[in-house]
Amino acid sequence: MLPVLVVHGGAGYVPTKRSDDSISGVCSATRAGYKILKEGGSSMDAVVETVTQLENNPTFNAGCGSVLNVKGDVEMDALVMDGKTLDSGAVSAVRNIANPIQLARLVMDKTSHACLTAEGASKFAQTMGVPEVPLESLITEYSRMRWEENLAPDANPVESQMGKMGTVGAVAVDIAGNIACATSTGGLLNKMEGRVGDTPCIGSGGYADNNIGAVSTTGHGEAIMKVTLARLVLFHMEQGNSVEEASDLALDHMKSRVASLGGVVTVDPQGHWAARFSSLQMAWAAAQKDTLHYGLYTGEHFTQSIDGPQQ
Amino acid sequence: MLPVLVVHGGAGYVPTKRSDDSISGVCSATRAGYKILKEGGSSMDAVVETVTQLENNPTFNAGCGSVLNVKGDVEMDALVMDGKTLDSGAVSAVRNIANPIQLARLVMDKTSHACLTAEGASKFAQTMGVPEVPLESLITEYSRMRWEENLAPDANPVESQMGKMGTVGAVAVDIAGNIACATSTGGLLNKMEGRVGDTPCIGSGGYADNNIGAVSTTGHGEAIMKVTLARLVLFHMEQGNSVEEASDLALDHMKSRVASLGGVVTVDPQGHWAARFSSLQMAWAAAQKDTLHYGLYTGEHFTQSIDGPQQ
């Protein structure tokens, strides 16, 4: 059953013209992460590489392609967690960085802290030699168009949020049985300056424990935080529920308690995995036993050989 | 059994010469919060008033009296959570604010977000008319002395952390049965710029749910985050454990899984309460049925009439 990697490209509604890009993006990133696992690499290396590829893909709301805040700026959040030690690293509200997930990993590996924010995170990036990138390199034409639309007097902010949840994340178990998660996001369109969502908040945006499993979440950050969604899934697994059952119980709780939809990718130490969502769609993919699994709508589950023609 | 308020002034080691101030500080703040509850006020009003008084008391590592970061600056974190709606508000790495807990509440009440960080939080404070205070007004002679000691070539950073955990927090259930928590801190002495600890991280620094109870935590932030300590206590309560049992199970897990000590104050919807810690000391107080309870060392539990001579 090992190794295994499960990846999401965000829960919500993906416009039809962008859905093919979302699916091919998560499939491609999943192949890259799975290759690392197959060659004996660690789950941490695999989830960071997978999320790096998704950050670099302008289709998703993370890294290049992040949504813009109310000032037209990009502020990004990211989290990694190591299930063996429970060490984690996060950054919040970071700007001018191509790959927040790699900076989050540096926080974990190179500091005694678990989270650095804003200017402090930028200064740390400089000391680590992480290049500063121009804001424009993170902004796509699509992001700017949606931001401008949202400034119009007749804009519907709720509708504007649709189609751009797009947070990305991955969970993996490597051959040694070590578990890791990674999540990265540009947050909410038109968010206030300095808004921090669920992604860098351990237990909400993600959680990993070798004894239980790992989860990466996506959806409306403020709602996910209300129920500490990632940790909630794992608590249900600790009570004996399967990865699917636990994921659905936690998503059902978020729906009934705070009336919000979202999605999760989940693994357990044995390599059982799930990609579950209560939203209309979630672009997801998984790799196990040289098979690539993927889907977008509820109930969709396509499979092909991992080395087959590129989806 | 209702109303009830439980308060802590930080887990760790309090130097003897400061322990009286710690005890009298938490007792005084507890009296102020309990008065609000007795007069029919909300649990949220009570915990925010209690924590505001502790922030204003230079004895504690929150607001005035916060420890200094590596640059000799003060950056503070705070969180409130409303157990009825699961709404929360937090600020991280905020500077030049007298009462971060009040700013956290404004984030909850006046924005659609759950956390604002650094400069974004400062700008929000300005729009809310929260006065900017000079850095010097937050720094005590004691904080500066400890920071300078820690810069000495022969300083022992571990020893320097001792005696200044001092995070403050409160949990309460009001007459209407609504539950709230509040936690505020200056963080870790000599922390990096932009370091965010457990306090503003929902589920780690605190959590409140009318259906389960509430917890505010204190200890080494990075360790608390590893086990999402507040939510962990509440999960144990959901499994049928008492407030004491659940608090001890969660603290035992933090000790065995990540070798770290800390403390919690916990309430359930019926008004059962606990103040538990694995550290040498935790200054705590509770008010219920017009009785003030308080202690500092394990096993200590003094009581007196809430209207009795001031402890």
Side-chain angles (χ1 to χ4, degrees):
Chain A
M1 296 278 280
L2 304 182
V4 60
L5 172 71
V6 199
V7 178
H8 70 77
Y13 165 69
V14 182
T16 310
K17 62 185 174 190
R18 294 176 68 82
S19 60
D20 284 354
D21 291 344
S22 293
I23 290 291
S24 65
V26 292
C27 286
S28 169
T30 300
R31 282 193 190 90
Y34 187 67
K35 183 164 183 286
I36 290 171
L37 294 171
K38 283 286 285 185
E39 290 169 354
S42 72
S43 51
M44 180 58 68
D45 285 344
V47 295
V48 169
E49 174 60 25
T50 300
V51 169
T52 296
Q53 294 214 359
L54 294 167
E55 287 176 338
N56 292 344
N57 185 330
T59 304
F60 302 100
N61 175 19
C64 174
S66 286
V67 298
L68 307 190
N69 74 7
V70 68
K71 294 285 186 186
D73 201 354
V74 170
E75 292 187 327
M76 301 166 288
D77 301 336
L79 169 74
V80 296
M81 185 165 184
D82 174 334
K84 184 175 183 182
T85 58
L86 305 187
D87 285 343
S88 65
V91 290
S92 59
V94 288
R95 305 167 68 236
N96 303 104
I97 298 279
N99 294 110
I101 202 69
Q102 295 182 8
L103 189 58
R105 186 175 184 175
L106 286 170
V107 170
M108 179 176 76
D109 288 346
K110 304 294 185 188
T111 81
S112 60
H113 300 323
C115 182
L116 294 178
T117 191
E119 270 303 297
S122 291
K123 288 183 184 175
F124 171 66
Q126 283 163 25
T127 66
M128 289 288 113
V130 175
E132 193 167 302
V133 301
L135 173 63
E136 292 306 317
S137 73
L138 300 172
I139 300 181
T140 61
E141 207 174 301
Y142 181 70
S143 291
R144 189 173 297 284
M145 178 195 78
R146 294 185 65 246
W147 178 71
E148 284 169 356
E149 276 176 4
N150 210 42
L151 295 180
D154 59 345
N156 178 337
V158 174
E159 196 173 277
S160 300
Q161 289 297 345
M162 301 276 289
K164 197 65 185 184
M165 306 303 270
T167 294
V168 303
V171 292
V173 192
D174 60 29
I175 293 169
N178 287 316
I179 304 183
C181 70
T183 311
S184 181
T185 190
L188 279 181
L189 177 62
N190 264 15
K191 65 184 179 182
M192 291 171 68
E193 289 176 271
R195 176 265 191 184
V196 179
D198 63 304
T199 297
C201 185
I202 193 168
S204 293
Y207 197 83
D209 184 336
N210 275 9
N211 297 332
I212 318 170
V215 177
S216 171
T217 70
T218 166
H220 186 250
E222 281 74 6
I224 288 172
M225 293 163 89
K226 289 181 189 193
V227 299
T228 60
L229 184 63
R231 191 66 184 93
L232 185 60
V233 172
L234 293 169
F235 277 112
H236 285 303
M237 286 163 62
E238 290 184 281
Q239 300 309 311
N241 294 288
S242 72
V243 288
E244 282 98 357
E245 290 164 348
S247 301
D248 288 347
L249 283 167
L251 289 167
D252 288 350
H253 177 68
M254 188 164 81
K255 191 172 178 181
S256 61
R257 185 72 167 88
V258 299
S260 196
L261 307 178
V264 298
V265 290
T266 307
V267 288
D268 74 10
Q270 289 74 47
H272 300 108
W273 62 271
R276 308 293 290 181
F277 50 102
S278 52
S279 51
L280 182 66
Q281 299 171 322
M282 180 175 81
W284 65 269
Q288 188 174 47
K289 295 182 189 169
D290 293 335
T291 300
L292 182 73
H293 307 251
Y294 60 94
L296 180 65
Y297 286 92
T298 303
E300 268 186 7
H301 186 152
F302 303 107
T303 57
Q304 63 174 67
S305 164
I306 196 88
D307 300 317
Q310 300 283 297
Q311 163 56 47
Chain B
M1 297 279 280
L2 304 182
V4 61
L5 173 71
V6 199
V7 179
H8 70 77
Y13 166 69
V14 183
T16 310
K17 62 184 176 193
R18 295 176 68 83
S19 60
D20 285 353
D21 291 344
S22 293
I23 291 291
S24 66
V26 293
C27 286
S28 169
T30 301
R31 281 193 191 88
Y34 187 68
K35 184 164 182 286
I36 290 171
L37 294 172
K38 283 287 284 185
E39 291 169 353
S42 73
S43 51
M44 181 57 69
D45 284 346
V47 296
V48 169
E49 174 59 24
T50 301
V51 169
T52 296
Q53 294 214 0
L54 294 168
E55 286 177 339
N56 292 343
N57 186 328
T59 304
F60 302 100
N61 175 19
C64 173
S66 286
V67 298
L68 307 190
N69 72 7
V70 68
K71 294 283 186 188
D73 201 354
V74 170
E75 293 187 324
M76 300 166 290
D77 301 336
L79 169 76
V80 295
M81 186 166 183
D82 175 332
K84 184 175 183 181
T85 59
L86 305 188
D87 284 343
S88 65
V91 290
S92 60
V94 288
R95 306 167 68 237
N96 302 104
I97 299 280
N99 294 110
I101 201 70
Q102 295 182 9
L103 189 58
R105 186 175 183 174
L106 286 170
V107 170
M108 180 176 75
D109 289 346
K110 304 295 184 187
T111 80
S112 60
H113 300 322
C115 182
L116 294 178
T117 190
E119 269 305 296
S122 292
K123 288 183 183 174
F124 170 66
Q126 283 164 24
T127 66
M128 290 287 112
V130 175
E132 193 166 302
V133 301
L135 174 63
E136 291 306 318
S137 73
L138 300 172
I139 300 182
T140 61
E141 209 172 301
Y142 181 70
S143 289
R144 189 173 298 283
M145 179 196 77
R146 295 185 64 247
W147 179 71
E148 283 169 357
E149 278 176 4
N150 210 43
L151 295 179
D154 59 345
N156 178 337
V158 175
E159 198 173 274
S160 300
Q161 290 296 347
M162 302 276 287
K164 197 63 184 185
M165 304 304 269
T167 294
V168 303
V171 293
V173 192
D174 60 29
I175 293 170
N178 287 316
I179 304 183
C181 71
T183 311
S184 180
T185 190
L188 280 181
L189 177 63
N190 264 14
K191 64 185 179 181
M192 291 171 68
E193 289 178 89
R195 177 264 190 185
V196 179
D198 63 304
T199 296
C201 184
I202 193 168
S204 293
Y207 197 85
D209 184 337
N210 275 9
N211 297 332
I212 319 170
V215 177
S216 170
T217 69
T218 167
H220 186 251
E222 280 73 7
I224 288 173
M225 293 163 89
K226 289 180 189 195
V227 299
T228 60
L229 184 63
R231 191 66 185 93
L232 185 61
V233 172
L234 294 169
F235 277 111
H236 285 303
M237 287 162 64
E238 289 184 282
Q239 301 309 311
N241 294 288
S242 71
V243 288
E244 283 97 357
E245 290 164 346
S247 301
D248 289 347
L249 282 167
L251 289 167
D252 288 350
H253 177 68
M254 188 164 80
K255 191 172 177 181
S256 62
R257 184 73 167 87
V258 299
S260 195
L261 308 178
V264 298
V265 289
T266 308
V267 288
D268 74 11
Q270 290 73 45
H272 300 107
W273 61 271
R276 309 292 291 180
F277 49 101
S278 51
S279 51
L280 182 65
Q281 298 171 321
M282 180 174 81
W284 65 269
Q288 187 174 47
K289 296 182 188 168
D290 293 334
T291 300
L292 181 72
H293 307 251
Y294 60 94
L296 181 65
Y297 286 91
T298 304
E300 269 186 5
H301 186 154
F302 304 107
T303 58
Q304 64 174 64
S305 163
I306 196 89
D307 301 319
Q310 300 285 296
Q311 163 57 44

